[in-house]
Amino acid sequence: MQEIGEKKGRILVAAMDIFGERPYDQVKIEDIAERAGVGKGTIYEYFVSKEELFAAILEAGFNEYFMALVAAAVPSLSATAKLQAVFGRHLSFISQHAAAARIILSERPASRSEIHEAMVNRYMRLGRFLEELLQEGMTAGEFRPVDTAIVAQAIIGIFSTLLVFVLFAEQAADAMEKNAEKLLDFCLLGLAVGD
Amino acid sequence: MQEIGEKKGRILVAAMDIFGERPYDQVKIEDIAERAGVGKGTIYEYFVSKEELFAAILEAGFNEYFMALVAAAVPSLSATAKLQAVFGRHLSFISQHAAAARIILSERPASRSEIHEAMVNRYMRLGRFLEELLQEGMTAGEFRPVDTAIVAQAIIGIFSTLLVFVLFAEQAADAMEKNAEKLLDFCLLGLAVGD
Amino acid sequence: MQEIGEKKGRILVAAMDIFGERPYDQVKIEDIAERAGVGKGTIYEYFVSKEELFAAILEAGFNEYFMALVAAAVPSLSATAKLQAVFGRHLSFISQHAAAARIILSERPASRSEIHEAMVNRYMRLGRFLEELLQEGMTAGEFRPVDTAIVAQAIIGIFSTLLVFVLFAEQAADAMEKNAEKLLDFCLLGLAVGD
Amino acid sequence: MQEIGEKKGRILVAAMDIFGERPYDQVKIEDIAERAGVGKGTIYEYFVSKEELFAAILEAGFNEYFMALVAAAVPSLSATAKLQAVFGRHLSFISQHAAAARIILSERPASRSEIHEAMVNRYMRLGRFLEELLQEGMTAGEFRPVDTAIVAQAIIGIFSTLLVFVLFAEQAADAMEKNAEKLLDFCLLGLAVGD
DNA sequence: TATGAATGAGATTTCATTCAT
DNA sequence: GATGAATGAAATCTCATTCAT
C-alpha cells in the first residue's frame, strides 16, 4: 500500500526534476524511469502516458506551490503583512524549486484541452486567492480601491518576474531577497491609499 | 534576390503561426512548409534545422515586437506618456499576434545554449529599454526614485499578465483596453512621486 | 487436486473463448486470466508460455471435436448412416462452438515446429477416421471405389465450408441443417455406386 | 512515376512472401523492408499501417488468384471443361504461390471490421463465380440440378483441401495433379446427371 | 499455490533531414 | 534554387514473463 504511493511519488519527483531541466520533447520516459530508479514499464503502471505524467506533475507541483502560499497568509496577519509573507514564500519556493517552478508557472500550452483547462483553472485559483487578499486589504482600509482581478494578475505577472531573476540572472540568495522586497514595495505603493 | 527574401519571409510567417498554435514537438517541418506554400526541402535552404528556424522566428518576432514598442515611445512625449504609449502598443501587438506573442514572450527554454542566451539577451534589451524610460521619468521628476532594473522587470511581468488575459480569458477588445489602462494606473501609482 | 484440474480447465475454456474471438497477437494473457477468474501468474503455473497454452487448447479442442465425431459413428450403423451422423455431429459442434471451431479447424501456422507437427497429426487423425469410414462403405458396397485419402480430404474441406457458413453467413440453425443435408447429398452422390 | 508503382510493388511482393512464411505477429515491418530493399519508413509512405499493408496483400493476392481462375474459364468451353480448367488453374496457382495462397485462402480474422468485410466480400466473389459456372452447366444439362450456393462452397472447401496437400504433405507436382484430377472427378460425380 | 506489481525487450510508427532530380 | 521521396534513428508504449509475498 505504502509502497505504491512511495513508488508513484518517486516517479513524480523524478519527472518534476527532469521536465524542469529540459523541454518536454527532450525528456525520454526512460530518463525519468532511470532517475526514479524504476523500470520503464513501471511508469505506465501509474500514468497512462507521458502526457498524463506531465499533467500530473503540473497539478502536483502547483498544489504544493499554492498550498505554500496559502499557508504563508496566516489569518491573524494584516493584509499587508499577508502580502509580504506571500511574496516571501513565493520567492523561497521558486528559489528552492527553480526547475520545477518554471514548468509550474509557465507550462507548455498542451495539445490536450484537458491540460489546457487544468492550467487555466490553476491560474484562476491563484488569482482568486490574491483577489481575496486584496479585497481584505481594501475592506480594512489598508489598500486603496482597485480592480482586484486586474491587480491580482499584475501580482502574478510580477511573481513570474522573480522567476526570471532566479532562472536567468542566477542571482545570489540575498540579492534575490532585496529584489523581492523592492517588488513588494512597488506593489504596495501601487496599492497605497492615496493621501 | 527579392524572391528569396520573399520566400524566406513566407516561411518565417508560417512558422510563427504554427509554432504559436502548438508546442514545438507537435510542429512538423512539413506543416510549416505546407502553410508557407513551399516544399519541405526548401525550408532547409534557408534554415539549417528546425531548431534554428525556431530561433529565427523568436528573434524576428521579438524584433518586430520590440521595434513597435520603441516606435511608440516618441521622443517628444513625457516619460509618463511614453509609458502609456508603450502599454498601448504592447496591448495592440499581443492582440493582433496572440499566438506569436506567446512564444515570443514565454518561449521554451532550449537545449541549445545559444537559444537560451539569445532569449536572455532579448529580455535584457527589453529591460534596458524600460529602464531608460524609467530613468528619464525619474530625472524629469515624473517618477519617484526606484530601482529601475527591478521595476522594469515588474513591468515586463505585468505585460505577460496582459498576454494571459488575451490568451485565456479571450476578452473583448474594449475590455482589454480597460484592463490595460488599469494596469498602467497601477504601475504609475507604484511610480508616483510621493506627496 | 481436483481444484487444480478445475482451475486448469477454467483457464483452457477461457483461452478457447478468447483465442476464438480474435487473433493470437491480440490476445493478452491478462485477458484470459481475467475471463478465467484467476491471476495472471496462475496461468504460468499450468502452462509454460502463451504459445504452449495456445497449443494446449488446440489439442484439447480438437480432441473434444474428434471424439464427438467418433462417438457419432455408432458401429452398428451402415457407412452411409455413419457419414450422415458425422456430418450432423460436425454441424452441431461448430454451431455450438463457432469461435473455438475456427481456431481448431484453421489454426495459425505456428513458429514452433512442434505446433505445426501437432496440427498435421491432427489433420491426419481426422483423415484416417474418415478414410476408415469410406473404406468400410466401399467394402460394404455402399460406396463406389475411390481414393479414400483424397475423398477424406475433400470431406474435410467440405466441413470447413460449413464453418464458413456459420461464421460469416450467420445463418439460422434450420437453414444450416438444410445446407448440411445438401452437402451430404453432394458427397453421397460423389460416392454413389454408378449404375 | 513508374518507380513509385515499382517500389510499392516490391513492398507488396516482399510482404506477401513474408506474411506467407510466418504468422502476422511474427512479421516485423523491418523484415519486409529488408526483403523489399527499402527503408523501414518507406513502407509507411505507401501503407498507413502494418494492418493496412496486410489487408492490401490479401486484396492484391486474391485478385491475382481470382483473375487467374476467371481467365481459365474460357467462354468457348463447356461447363465441365471450365470446371476442369479452373481446378487446374487453382492447383497451379497454389503450387506456385504456396505461401501466399495460405494467407489468401485462410487469412486471419482481423480486428478491423473492414478487413473482415473485405474477406467476406472476396469469398462471395469467388462463390458467385463458381455458382455461375454451375448454373451454366445445369442449364446446358451437363450437371444435375443442385443448390448452386451450396455446391459452390463445397468446391471452395475442396480447393482448400488441395492447399493442405501442398502445404503439409509437400507432395510432388505430378502426384498433386493426380489428386486434383481425383477431386475433380469426385465433384463431377456429385454433379453428374443421374441416370 | 496464487498473485499481480515490476520489468525491459522489442515493435510500430514518426519525422527531421538528405539528396537526386 | 526547389522539391519531396526515401530514410533510419529514436521514442512511446505493450505485454509476456518473473518472482517476492
Side-chain angles (χ1 to χ4, degrees), chain C residues 26-84:
Chain C
Q26 283 178 36
V27 170
K28 285 185 283 189
I29 286 288
E30 196 166 11
D31 298 338
I32 296 169
E34 210 170 323
R35 178 90 58 114
V38 302
K40 225 186 324 172
T42 306
I43 288 178
Y44 286 87
E45 295 286 325
Y46 297 103
F47 304 95
V48 296
S49 69
K50 184 184 178 183
E51 197 87 15
E52 292 244 333
L53 170 57
F54 188 71
I57 66 161
L58 289 182
E59 188 63 28
F62 179 81
N63 282 341
E64 197 185 328
Y65 166 72
F66 187 62
M67 255 130 69
L69 294 198
V70 170
V74 177
S76 61
L77 298 175
S78 70
T80 306
K82 277 181 184 162
L83 194 56
Q84 184 168 23

Side-chain angles (χ1 to χ4, degrees), chain A residues 149-159 187, chain B residues 154 157-158 161 165 183 186:
Chain A
I150 296 297
V151 175
Q153 286 300 329
I155 293 174
I156 294 177
I158 288 168
F159 277 5
C187 282
Chain B
I158 288 168
T161 282
F165 280 121
L183 283 168
F186 178 72

Side-chain angles (χ1 to χ4, degrees), chain D residues 88-162:
Chain D
R89 194 61 64 95
H90 168 79
L91 177 63
S92 65
F93 183 90
I94 64 177
S95 299
Q96 282 162 41
H97 309 89
R102 176 167 54 209
I103 49 173
I104 294 167
L105 299 182
S106 74
E107 68 229 41
R108 82 197 257 270
S111 47
R112 315 251 252 108
S113 60
E114 307 157 40
I115 292 189
H116 186 273
E117 217 174 309
M119 173 169 62
V120 173
N121 281 338
R122 287 195 290 270
Y123 247 96
M124 284 173 57
R125 241 198 305 165
L126 182 53
R128 270 198 304 273
F129 167 67
L130 292 171
E131 281 191 61
E132 279 165 27
L133 206 159
L134 291 169
Q135 187 60 52
E136 187 187 322
M138 280 161 58
T139 305
E142 293 176 65
F143 303 150
R144 68 179 177 91
V146 291
D147 182 328
T148 54
I150 296 296
V151 174
Q153 287 300 328
I155 292 173
I156 294 176
I158 288 168
F159 278 4
S160 316
T161 283
L162 270 169

